[in-house]
Amino acid sequence: MKTYVNRILRNFDYPLFAVYLLLCLFGLIMIYSASMVWSVNIYNFDPAHFYLKQIKSLAIAIPAFFVAAIIPYRHYRNKKFLYITLGVMFTLLILVKFIGFGDNVGAKSWLSLPFGLGNLQPTEVAKIAFIVYFSGVFANKYYAGTLDEIKTTIFPTFSILTISLFLVILEPDFGATMILFLVAVSVIAASGMNIRNYLKISGFFAILGGALSILLWIKWDDVMTESRVGRFLAFTDPFEYIQGSGLQIVNGYIAIGAGGLKGVGLGNSIQKLGYLPEPHTDVIMAVISEETGLLGTTLVLGGLFFIVARAFIVALRTKDAHARMLAAGVGSLIAIQTLVNLGGLTGLIPLTGVTLPFISYGGTSVVFLSIALGILMNVSMFVKYEKMK
């Protein structure tokens, strides 16, 4: 045991942990700044309500990071563990359809936990489950020499993918559907699969996308609520819909433009006073840009870029297929979620309600992203140990 602890301390990726902690703490400060007025005026809560809730979430997230960091990643390809992971994920995704509750755009994406433990967003669990499941299954196939056997490798795993995406899109949660889909693609791309088979998988993806599009068309009236249609219209031209669905994007532009190089000062944002809905959640970068300017924005984006780059460097350095897929999956998840969040804020894609990793308010998000980063930490320590041998 003492030897194992010493090995952890010697190979611990301190820069990765420092950046993770810095992002979480900076996010905590910005959640307090962004949510104070909204908390009082809209919800009639204490000004520190969302700030204190995020502290409680971080009190779970940081220990969860360390637990994930010390569990050897090889356990994540144990077949029983993979079955349990799938069982938990499917149970949560099915439960949310029947007993879940939603937001102001009609999505039922949350479960209320018993004993006053708060709420849980099953799609956040699914993101980690996807990384663990697909990397574990494809690693086992890689070691067995059956990775390129389409019938035994591709169809069973992609049945899981199809059912999972079907359940998520029924919530409906387009942002999570997109992220889960791309995370699965990223893990498979890192598996070492034959390029021809990967192209066959791409064809399957095209069919799956067509099927989901047909489902969307059939369920149009249920899925495309007035608010959600408004988001798509605002994406085409936010200034044309400035009095309605485009207001959030336009005010985001104003906040970003007002920040300049140094910002207007911490706590001095105008747009958070009621112009930006829920400014502490998926549009928090607009408040960061306004209050801390280009300097604060660069700090956040630089930190997230460092984590993503670290993940891909670890993936490239390791000789172990399972480690490579886990690292690539975690790096892809953080990169894709960041791009989806910022893409919605800047009008490059429709707003989807996706959090900015480690920065936005959201207990489930920060806990499960911390677990993902803990897994990356364990892989990083293994790669360092592998080089020292």
Side-chain angles (χ1 to χ4, degrees):
M1 182 65 181
K2 186 177 180 180
T3 304
Y4 184 64
V5 171
N6 288 335
R7 188 187 303 171
I8 289 174
L9 293 174
R10 187 168 58 252
N11 296 298
F12 195 77
D13 194 334
Y14 292 100
L16 179 64
F17 176 69
V19 172
Y20 157 69
L21 197 60
L22 179 64
L23 286 173
C24 288
L25 294 177
F26 184 74
L28 193 62
I29 293 169
M30 293 312 305
I31 287 168
Y32 182 66
S33 176
S35 67
M36 286 188 299
V37 174
W38 194 265
S39 180
V40 174
N41 290 348
I42 304 301
Y43 294 107
N44 199 29
F45 290 154
D46 183 87
H49 174 79
F50 294 106
Y51 166 76
L52 293 175
K53 287 190 71 174
Q54 190 73 359
I55 287 179
K56 292 179 181 178
S57 298
L58 286 174
I60 299 172
I62 294 175
F65 166 88
F66 282 109
V67 170
I70 64 175
I71 296 175
Y73 71 87
R74 65 177 182 273
H75 293 308
Y76 297 132
R77 61 187 180 90
N78 178 280
K79 289 186 177 181
K80 289 183 179 179
F81 181 81
L82 293 176
Y83 291 145
I84 292 171
T85 300
L86 276 187
V88 170
M89 181 186 75
F90 280 130
T91 299
L92 293 174
L93 290 176
I94 292 169
L95 280 176
V96 79
K97 185 62 182 173
F98 295 99
I99 61 173
F101 62 95
D103 56 22
N104 59 355
V105 296
K108 294 175 67 175
S109 303
W110 297 88
L111 288 171
S112 182
L113 297 175
F115 312 114
L117 294 176
N119 303 320
L120 177 72
Q121 193 172 11
T123 51
E124 296 298 328
V125 180
K127 291 171 188 176
I128 309 305
F130 261 44
I131 294 171
V132 170
Y133 175 75
F134 281 102
S135 63
V137 167
F138 281 91
N140 287 335
K141 298 292 183 181
Y142 179 90
Y143 300 135
T146 60
L147 182 63
D148 290 302
E149 294 180 10
I150 296 292
K151 289 184 180 180
T152 59
T153 300
I154 305 304
F155 291 130
T157 45
F158 284 98
S159 297
I160 300 296
L161 175 63
T162 304
I163 297 169
S164 304
L165 295 181
F166 176 79
L167 290 171
V168 175
I169 206 169
L170 283 181
E171 291 185 14
D173 189 335
F174 297 122
T177 303
M178 184 191 312
I179 291 170
L180 287 169
F181 182 83
L182 293 175
V183 165
V185 172
S186 301
V187 172
I188 297 162
S191 67
M193 183 178 291
N194 184 288
I195 187 65
R196 290 183 180 179
N197 287 333
Y198 193 76
L199 291 175
K200 290 178 182 178
I201 292 173
S202 299
F204 177 84
F205 282 161
I207 295 171
L208 177 59
L212 291 175
S213 299
I214 293 171
L215 171 66
L216 178 61
W217 181 73
I218 293 172
K219 300 280 290 180
W220 181 266
D221 292 335
D222 295 331
V223 173
M224 298 306 290
T225 61
E226 182 179 348
S227 177
R228 192 169 285 112
V229 170
R231 287 186 175 187
F232 280 92
L233 293 174
F235 161 67
T236 60
D237 186 354
F239 291 95
E240 184 177 344
Y241 300 95
I242 194 170
Q243 297 301 321
S245 54
L247 184 66
Q248 187 172 16
I249 296 176
V250 172
N251 282 323
Y253 291 162
I254 294 171
I256 294 169
L261 179 63
K262 297 181 180 179
V264 298
L266 194 62
N268 294 328
S269 167
I270 300 299
Q271 298 306 311
K272 72 181 182 184
L273 302 180
Y275 301 101
L276 279 171
E278 306 286 349
H280 52 295
T281 56
D282 52 302
V283 293
I284 194 170
M285 182 56 90
V287 179
I288 292 172
S289 297
E290 186 178 6
E291 294 191 348
T292 66
L294 182 61
L295 297 178
T297 303
T298 302
L299 173 69
V300 173
L301 296 184
L304 291 170
F305 177 80
F306 176 86
I307 291 174
V308 173
R310 199 76 161 185
F312 288 126
I313 289 170
V314 168
L316 290 170
R317 284 179 176 173
T318 183
K319 298 176 183 178
D320 184 80
H322 190 203
R324 181 174 66 245
M325 284 183 270
L326 283 170
V330 174
S332 298
L333 170 60
I334 295 171
I336 292 163
Q337 187 154 321
T338 299
L339 291 173
V340 171
N341 175 275
L342 297 180
L345 175 63
T346 55
L348 296 176
I349 61 173
L351 278 168
T352 57
V354 170
T355 60
L356 185 63
F358 310 114
I359 302 295
S360 296
Y361 169 78
T364 310
S365 175
V366 75
V367 168
F368 282 92
L369 283 172
S370 295
I371 292 172
L373 210 61
I375 294 172
L376 175 62
M377 174 63 78
N378 187 263
V379 174
S380 177
M381 288 191 293
F382 167 78
V383 172
K384 288 179 70 175
Y385 176 70
E386 192 178 42
K387 283 184 67 178
M388 291 173 63
K389 286 197 314 183

